[in-house]
Amino acid sequence: MVPIAYYLILAAILFSIGVSAFLIKRNVITVFMSIELMLNAVNLTFVAFSHMWNQVQGQIFVFFVMVVAAAEAAVGLAIIIAIFRSRQTLNVDQINLMRL
């Protein structure tokens, strides 16, 4: 059996990579993927603690987070496509106006 500390360390590493990519990268798709990476790191933490305490609430909450992430992905990709069609770029620095 793998100790829970390993899962938490992996989740912390994944979350750190997501935060650093969110802050460093300038491409909208990369920022979007870094948000998804952070959500998956949180899901890993929920599953690890759920398994440790033998309770199902953590896994149920993971399903809720996955549903929200799927909805976010659908809406986010639609927004990214609309931005690319109007601006012809996905650089965050060049997308500074609210109007399309």
Side-chain angles (χ1 to χ4, degrees), residues 80-91:
I80 288 172
I81 289 171
I83 289 172
F84 183 75
R85 284 182 180 172
S86 66
R87 305 285 170 106
Q88 301 298 323
T89 184
L90 292 178
N91 192 346

Side-chain angles (χ1 to χ4, degrees), residues 20-96:
S20 63
F22 182 80
L23 295 175
I24 294 172
K25 295 293 185 176
R26 300 287 78 188
N27 190 332
V28 175
I29 293 178
T30 306
V31 169
F32 193 69
M33 289 174 31
S34 64
I35 292 170
E36 295 292 328
L37 188 61
M38 287 188 282
L39 285 174
N40 285 328
V42 171
N43 284 343
L44 181 62
T45 304
F46 279 131
V47 169
F49 279 119
S50 174
H51 180 71
M52 184 179 83
W53 290 323
N54 291 326
Q55 294 184 350
V56 73
Q57 287 91 358
Q59 295 174 6
I60 292 171
F61 200 72
V62 166
F63 284 123
F64 177 73
V65 170
M66 288 171 64
V67 168
V68 171
E72 178 232 346
V75 173
L77 286 176
I79 291 172
I80 288 172
I81 289 171
I83 289 172
F84 183 75
R85 284 182 180 172
S86 66
R87 305 285 170 106
Q88 301 298 323
T89 184
L90 292 178
N91 192 346
V92 175
D93 294 331
Q94 296 174 356
I95 306 169
N96 55 3

Side-chain angles (χ1 to χ4, degrees), residues 1-7 48 51-54:
M1 182 173 162
V2 179
I4 191 171
Y6 293 163
Y7 293 114
H51 180 71
M52 184 179 83
W53 290 323
N54 291 326

